[in-house]
Amino acid sequence: MSDYKIVIPARYGSSRLPGKPLIKLKGKSMIQHVYERALDTGVADIIVATDDDRIKQEAESFGAQVVMTSVDHENGTERIAEVARKLKWGDDEIVVNLQGDEPLIPKSLIEITAKGLMDHSDAGMASICTPLSDAEDGFDPNVVKVVLDSRGMAMYFSRAPIPWDRDLYAKSKDALTDAMPVYRHIGMYGYRVGFLNQYTQMSSSQIEQVESLEQLRALYHGVKIHMSVIDEPPGHGIDTPDDVARVESLLGALE
């Protein structure tokens, strides 16, 4: 399955970990590890999208195609939209956003994300989620939850515990509801290029700003987001210096 494209957004600036894509893990930069995960899929079009010459030089050193993008983008979706526009990709093309800080992502998740759009022609976006069972995660605002409809389309994303079991949670928050599944959203996205072209013209919504979740802009404007349910969450990404040693040891275990 390779009838799609992969874009790896990689910016140098990071409030918690500046220069993150260039961090060395087992002798290779993080952006190279991510690029190699993309190569595992067999996809022909793999693009590194960056706004920094240092990342451009590093990516080109291991043979990646690079597209330079604006420094003013608010998120990876806007950066990928610029790539699609510059490369004149057609509206029906499918693009997977492979985040530049996910060196442990398995190719299966990339493929599952793309397939969500291939199998659901009415969806403009696709993503993945996994069942939650731990109450601490369920009530953690840093763990994003999603509720699905009967076709696996996202109804709503929230940092709050959804669905809210009125009777159970009024008594205790020590366990999650067992009345229906509780899903954790994994921030892996696929897009149709036609949606990307629309996204840059969509106004930001109040609910997107309140929850600080960019995918709510799409829902607010009526775009369908297909969610594939996976059994286990993917490997660790890198957000803090403490993550570096942990991910490096996990990479070592894969060798």
Side-chain angles (χ1 to χ4, degrees), residues 10-65:
R11 64 188 185 92
Y12 190 90
S14 170
S15 58
R16 289 184 289 183
L17 205 57
K20 185 163 54 170
L22 302 181
I23 290 172
K24 293 294 185 181
L25 301 164
K26 306 294 289 183
K28 298 177 184 178
S29 63
M30 181 162 63
I31 190 67
Q32 183 172 354
H33 282 288
V34 175
Y35 182 75
E36 290 174 356
R37 300 293 80 74
L39 287 177
D40 289 342
T41 65
V43 168
D45 293 320
I46 302 172
I47 312 295
V48 173
T50 188
D51 56 9
D52 189 275
D53 284 332
R54 289 163 290 190
I55 296 174
K56 177 179 184 289
Q57 292 171 12
E58 169 64 17
E60 289 179 340
S61 75
F62 53 78
Q65 181 180 352

Side-chain angles (χ1 to χ4, degrees), residues 8-245:
I8 305 170
R11 64 188 185 92
Y12 190 90
S14 170
S15 58
R16 289 184 289 183
L17 205 57
K20 185 163 54 170
L22 302 181
I23 290 172
K24 293 294 185 181
L25 301 164
K26 306 294 289 183
K28 298 177 184 178
S29 63
M30 181 162 63
I31 190 67
Q32 183 172 354
H33 282 288
V34 175
Y35 182 75
E36 290 174 356
R37 300 293 80 74
L39 287 177
D40 289 342
T41 65
V43 168
D45 293 320
I46 302 172
I47 312 295
V48 173
T50 188
D51 56 9
D52 189 275
D53 284 332
R54 289 163 290 190
I55 296 174
K56 177 179 184 289
Q57 292 171 12
E58 169 64 17
E60 289 179 340
S61 75
F62 53 78
Q65 181 180 352
V66 178
V67 173
M68 294 298 290
T69 55
S70 170
V71 299
D72 298 325
H73 293 311
E74 294 182 7
N75 52 54
T77 305
E78 291 183 0
R79 196 172 304 282
I80 293 173
E82 182 181 352
V83 172
R85 187 169 62 253
K86 282 186 170 180
L87 297 182
K88 297 181 170 57
W89 288 341
D91 283 354
D92 292 332
E93 296 281 1
I94 291 171
V95 186
V96 172
N97 175 353
L98 181 53
Q99 296 185 40
D101 57 0
E102 294 283 354
L104 294 171
I105 203 79
K107 75 170 186 176
S108 60
L109 295 194
I110 302 172
E111 293 170 343
I112 287 169
T113 303
K115 195 171 187 299
L117 287 171
M118 292 176 183
D119 292 347
H120 298 85
S121 60
D122 56 337
M125 290 180 64
S127 192
I128 57 178
C129 59
T130 189
L132 259 181
S133 58
D134 185 87
E136 184 175 350
D137 285 341
F139 287 90
D140 183 347
N142 295 310
V143 176
V144 178
K145 278 71 67 175
V146 59
V147 173
L148 312 182
D149 70 11
S150 62
R151 297 184 59 237
M153 300 292 182
M155 296 175 66
Y156 188 62
F157 298 86
S158 183
R159 298 183 181 278
I162 55 173
W164 181 266
D165 188 322
R166 182 192 62 179
D167 295 333
L168 175 64
Y169 296 157
K171 301 172 184 175
S172 171
K173 297 179 180 64
D174 294 331
L176 293 179
T177 182
D178 59 4
M180 64 179 290
V182 178
Y183 292 117
R184 174 180 187 162
H185 178 224
I186 307 298
M188 181 107 183
Y189 293 108
Y191 318 94
R192 290 191 203 284
V193 170
F195 160 74
L196 288 172
N197 293 333
Q198 296 171 12
Y199 182 84
T200 57
Q201 305 302 315
M202 291 176 179
S203 59
S204 177
S205 64
Q206 290 176 316
I207 193 61
E208 172 193 359
Q209 295 168 12
V210 167
E211 291 263 18
S212 190
L213 296 173
E214 65 177 276
Q215 63 270 37
L216 289 175
R217 185 184 307 187
L219 286 187
Y220 180 81
H221 288 280
V223 176
K224 292 185 180 299
I225 304 176
H226 180 266
M227 304 296 299
S228 296
V229 180
I230 61 172
D231 293 333
E232 298 287 342
H236 290 282
I238 294 181
D239 294 311
T240 69
D242 290 341
D243 293 330
V244 175

